[in-house]
Amino acid sequence: MKINGTPTRTIWLAQDGWSVEIIDQTRLPHDFVVASLTGLDDAARAIKDMLVRGAPLIGATAAYGMALAARQDASDQGLERAYRVLHATRPTAINLKWALDEMSAALTPLPVEARAAAAYARAAAICDEDVAINAAIGDHGAALLAALWQRRQAAGASRLNVLTHCNAGWLATVDWGTAIAPIYKAFDAGIPVHVWVDETRPRNQGASLTARELNWHGVPHTVIADNTGGHLMQHGLVDLCIVGTDRVTRNGDVCNKIGTYLKALAARDNGVPFYVALPSPTIDWTVADGVREIPIEERSSREQSHIWGKDAAGRVVEVQLVPDGSAAINYGFDVTPARLVTGLITERGVSPASPEGLAGLFGKG
């Protein structure tokens, strides 16, 4: 994607050829800050503290974390330690484990002296693969949007209204995004897309990140409170929902940012199509029942009780929302059962959210 006309990814090698640079997403939307990762601990902190977030980008950062670790200690013990440290950072997104397994498979058979160079090469390949996958998701999803726009236009509509939750755009991946990639492709093709952007409490990834990147790209959008989506659907103001996901089971259950399940229920009640966009590394073929088997991350209650914003003087400050002494709890994700999902948009096409649908695309189950 482009920032002020400059093509930009979310993660890249620095000019020194070995350190890794990322966009510090905790500073968005008000400040654009590049952070440097120079070792394993930096990569682990970037994932755990959400300087990077979004399942595909977490995986890419973990891959480069293994490369940084291999540069320091490429022994079997060093790689095993790096795997453990990185794997412990975020429990829900399956792309993290997928990327670590990919790196381990590529490095373990090699002589120790060859591992660091191979690690950087495999990490770079994982990033390039992510971009290609997301571009393909965008193409398949844009075809859905184009077909729906033809029907809406024939009915007299002036724009296509898409509702999304959390951030599943360029900032959640290496480039393009998952759920937002079809929107970018449709917008670039001339379809008058308008996006309802859930603020996505408690961390506000919709208001801070989705709105920021849509603004950069020029896509019309409106930020809404998380509880507004049902009202909009009741009044015919949402043509379809598209969200991303951090893990999809082999049966088609979808684990995504907390609040997704409620949007899916509202969509079903109002006859609004509810699609989930995902790259194949997000599929967990070992899990069948998402509600019972996927570990749900519980994050610091401070994310719920406090919020960052810009004050009247232009300073970015943190303020407390709740009374002193009030408890808060912060579940990061929920699971939407497959029965509520209209379809899964993948790099290989669109499938039903079912074992047969996924197996038909990927030949697994």
Side-chain angles (χ1 to χ4, degrees), residues 127-151:
C127 289
D128 290 342
E129 290 163 9
D130 182 67
V131 176
I133 285 172
N134 294 329
I137 289 172
D139 290 335
H140 292 299
L144 283 175
L145 268 61
L148 180 56
W149 169 237
Q150 285 188 337
R151 298 195 296 273

Side-chain angles (χ1 to χ4, degrees), residues 43 55 73 85 94 100-101 148 152 221 243 261 293 310 358 360:
D73 180 5
V85 168
I94 195 62
L100 294 174
D101 288 343
L148 180 56
R152 296 293 297 127
H221 62 281
V243 302
Y261 174 44
E293 296 182 63
K310 183 184 286 188
L358 285 170

Side-chain angles (χ1 to χ4, degrees), residues 96-185:
L96 173 61
K97 183 178 185 301
W98 172 85
L100 294 174
D101 288 343
E102 288 287 309
M103 295 297 290
S104 293
L107 302 182
T108 302
L110 300 177
V112 172
E113 62 273 13
R115 289 175 174 176
Y120 277 96
R122 184 67 188 110
I126 285 174
C127 289
D128 290 342
E129 290 163 9
D130 182 67
V131 176
I133 285 172
N134 294 329
I137 289 172
D139 290 335
H140 292 299
L144 283 175
L145 268 61
L148 180 56
W149 169 237
Q150 285 188 337
R151 298 195 296 273
R152 296 293 297 127
Q153 190 176 29
S158 61
R159 68 184 190 185
L160 187 68
N161 287 303
V162 182
L163 185 144
T164 191
H165 187 69
C166 194
N167 173 258
W170 157 63
L171 289 167
T173 66
V174 179
D175 206 348
W176 278 111
T178 56
I180 308 299
I183 294 170
Y184 286 137
K185 297 256 186 177

Side-chain angles (χ1 to χ4, degrees), residues 163 226-238 263 266 270:
L163 185 144
D226 286 358
N227 293 330
T228 304
H231 169 79
L232 295 175
M233 293 183 210
Q234 283 180 326
H235 291 271
L237 297 175
V238 179
K263 290 295 155 61
N270 289 281

